[in-house]
Amino acid sequence: MPRVRIKSRARWRPVVSLPDTLSDRVVELAGPPEQIAMGLERMLDALAALKIPARLPMPVILVGGTNGKGSTVAYLEAFYRQAGYRVGAYISPHLWQFTERLRLDGRSAPEFLWHQLLTEIADVAHQIPLTYFEITTLAAVRMMLAAGVDVAILEVGLGGRLDAVNAFTPDCSIVTTVDLDHQDWLGPDRASIGREKAGIFRRGVPALYGDMEDPCASVLAAAICADVPLQQLGRDFRIDPLLGKWSGFGQEKQVPAPLWAAPAQWANLALAVAALSLLEAKLPVPDTAISAWTQAPELPGRCQWRQPWGQGGPDLLVDVAHNPQAARQLATLLAARKGAARCHAIVGMLADKDMAGTLAPLLHWVDAWHVLEITDTPRAAAAAQLCDILEGMNAITVSVDVDMEQALEVVRTTLAGGDILLCFGSFHLVKQLPMAWLQSGPA
């Protein structure tokens, strides 16, 4: 079948998003989130100035890794809430609104509290050149302290060793997976990245690692060198998807199915249950609190199947996947469901990502590509660049210079019931979808 490049005559239009004065306020204090400066010195100075202890009064769980951080945080949050604890969950980045970055008892922290804390931090930010993520982290932790949460779950933003959340002393550290991403900051290979991820480990503090099939040697070596009691999925604890059972540390627990559809979600669920077990002396959780979902959080944009056009239209699979490992997981989902159905993909990526490595696992499953150029960040890859990469890998049909509205209209009129629309590549791309689509019921 010949390859076809379809060019739209439409001009690019900026992404229309909801007003986000909070993000604008952080930009005023620190500059845009694209301005990254690794290191803990600024955070430690700011903690001292704000009188925030590195050892927080509540148990702290640090969650790092290449993929699976957000869902692991969500599982921990849900289980602890179901056990009756007050939970603070800090994540990044946000999808639609800045307030998504901190959940207190399952709800986004209110905007007025963010503004209040940012005002308090402003004087320190004028003296110490804090980054966007550092200011956000400081404000989130101060809100957790003010709210008196029983447990603080902090997602690592970038890497681990030099990330802002690593300024806080953990009671448990989790590395979900290690794969290629952010090589400009973390190193050129998996071993280098693994060492950075393992930087959230502490001597004598329990830690968990989730790569079961191909564990990263540098993570294991870092744990040995630092005298960290590391527990590894598949070696020290396990999960059985068929029976819905977790086992490890001399225990066995019945667990519910993961909240999101992907085989890797069982590993994220296993890590969360393992963390509960390791912290049992500090935060006891009865088995009944993890046997079913009663306080399930939302996590838009992670392996979500939806039917936005109803029963007669195509199914929508949405994921913020932006690296090769995440794309391989998406390919597994498509392989299990596609059959004889057609699949179109809407994709947009950042230029500093491994674009070819991310696109390659999906080539066999996608029948037509709609390439979008992300417009709300200077890190965006040009649509023509993505198109050239796809054509260089012999993708069949590639549409370029098409905005989200146009791509969705083409898909709606081309695909039928049972066909699949895949939307992936970046948080910046996924947030262009209608918010209601990702908050509706599963397909």
Side-chain angles (χ1 to χ4, degrees):
M1 184 180 297
R3 291 178 289 133
V4 181
R5 179 186 286 206
I6 304 169
K7 263 201 180 291
S8 167
R9 296 178 182 176
R11 295 175 61 87
W12 282 108
R13 290 177 291 181
V15 176
V16 178
S17 57
L18 298 173
D20 202 342
T21 57
L22 278 171
S23 186
D24 294 341
R25 177 62 174 139
V26 179
V27 170
E28 290 175 6
L29 294 172
E34 289 83 8
Q35 292 181 2
I36 299 171
M38 306 293 282
L40 295 179
E41 296 84 0
R42 295 176 305 277
M43 273 295 291
L44 294 174
D45 289 344
L47 290 180
L50 293 166
K51 296 181 171 55
I52 301 175
R55 163 64 75 180
L56 297 176
M58 75 288 286
V60 172
I61 303 174
L62 299 186
V63 182
T66 302
N67 293 301
K69 297 187 295 292
S71 51
T72 301
V73 169
Y75 293 137
L76 284 164
E77 177 188 16
F79 288 140
Y80 277 125
R81 289 187 65 220
Q82 290 174 181
Y85 292 108
R86 299 199 68 196
V87 182
Y90 175 56
I91 63 169
S92 64
H94 62 276
L95 194 54
W96 294 295
Q97 288 287 283
F98 183 92
T99 53
E100 299 167 25
R101 289 176 178 251
L102 176 63
R103 296 190 294 265
L104 297 172
D105 288 335
R107 295 184 178 182
S108 294
E111 188 170 340
F112 79 89
L113 282 181
W114 277 105
H115 278 296
Q116 178 182 322
L117 269 297
L118 291 175
T119 299
E120 293 180 14
I121 292 170
D123 288 342
V124 172
H126 290 144
Q127 300 172 37
I128 302 171
L130 297 168
T131 67
Y132 184 104
F133 187 72
E134 288 167 345
I135 287 177
T136 304
T137 302
L138 290 165
V141 170
R142 289 204 68 162
M143 272 189 274
M144 291 189 201
L145 289 168
V149 299
D150 299 309
V151 57
I153 308 168
L154 308 180
E155 179 184 342
V156 173
L158 176 61
R161 181 175 64 92
L162 299 177
D163 187 79
V165 303
N166 201 35
F168 298 98
T169 303
D171 294 86
C172 179
S173 299
I174 301 173
V175 173
T176 54
T177 63
V178 175
D179 207 73
L180 298 179
D181 200 4
H182 299 295
Q183 289 99 311
D184 289 347
W185 295 100
L186 305 180
D189 50 36
R190 195 163 174 252
S192 302
I193 294 170
R195 281 189 288 272
E196 291 297 318
K197 302 288 186 186
I200 64 174
F201 294 164
R202 297 292 196 281
R203 186 174 302 277
V205 174
L208 298 163
Y209 179 36
D211 273 325
M212 183 170 60
E213 295 182 359
D214 184 21
C216 184
S218 61
V219 174
L220 305 180
I224 293 172
C225 290
D227 193 22
V228 173
L230 181 66
Q231 309 295 325
Q232 185 182 337
L233 177 61
R235 184 190 70 186
D236 305 297
F237 61 97
R238 294 170 173 78
I239 196 162
D240 186 334
L242 295 177
L243 298 177
K245 285 190 176 180
W246 178 95
S247 58
F249 321 143
Q251 304 174 349
E252 187 174 273
K253 300 177 186 293
Q254 194 73 35
V255 295
L259 295 170
W260 299 280
Q265 288 295 336
W266 284 100
N268 300 333
L269 183 65
L271 288 166
V273 177
L276 301 183
S277 298
L278 292 177
L279 294 178
E280 196 167 25
K282 297 179 179 180
L283 296 166
V285 175
D287 288 350
T288 54
I290 64 172
S291 59
W293 298 115
T294 60
Q295 301 285 345
E298 290 185 358
L299 195 62
R302 273 75 161 189
C303 294
Q304 285 184 295
W305 285 101
R306 293 292 184 261
Q307 283 189 320
W309 294 286
Q311 293 294 327
D315 294 339
L316 171 67
L317 173 58
V318 182
D319 196 84
V320 294
H322 51 264
N323 56 56
Q325 184 184 58
R328 291 193 296 270
Q329 295 175 12
L330 276 182
T332 300
L333 280 180
L334 288 175
R337 186 150 170 172
K338 185 174 185 289
R342 293 173 295 171
C343 177
H344 284 209
I346 298 177
V347 62
M349 297 189 67
L350 302 183
D352 54 7
K353 301 299 180 183
D354 181 355
M355 290 179 279
T358 303
L359 296 169
L362 295 159
L363 288 175
H364 176 74
W365 306 104
V366 175
D367 303 299
W369 295 86
H370 304 269
V371 179
L372 271 67
E373 188 165 310
I374 294 167
T375 60
D376 64 343
T377 174
R379 295 169 59 199
Q385 182 183 9
L386 271 173
C387 187
D388 288 341
I389 291 172
L390 283 165
E391 291 183 339
M393 295 189 294
N394 295 318
I396 297 173
T397 304
V398 180
S399 303
V400 68
D401 296 336
V402 179
D403 64 23
M404 180 64 79
E405 182 180 355
Q406 292 168 325
L408 292 175
E409 180 60 21
V410 170
V411 168
R412 186 188 67 82
T413 57
T414 303
L415 297 182
D419 291 335
I420 298 169
L421 168 61
L422 169 64
C423 185
F424 79 103
S426 173
F427 281 84
H428 296 272
L429 178 83
V430 168
K431 77 176 185 180
Q432 297 182 44
L433 290 169
M435 187 185 302
W437 285 13
L438 303 190
Q439 296 174 334
S440 60

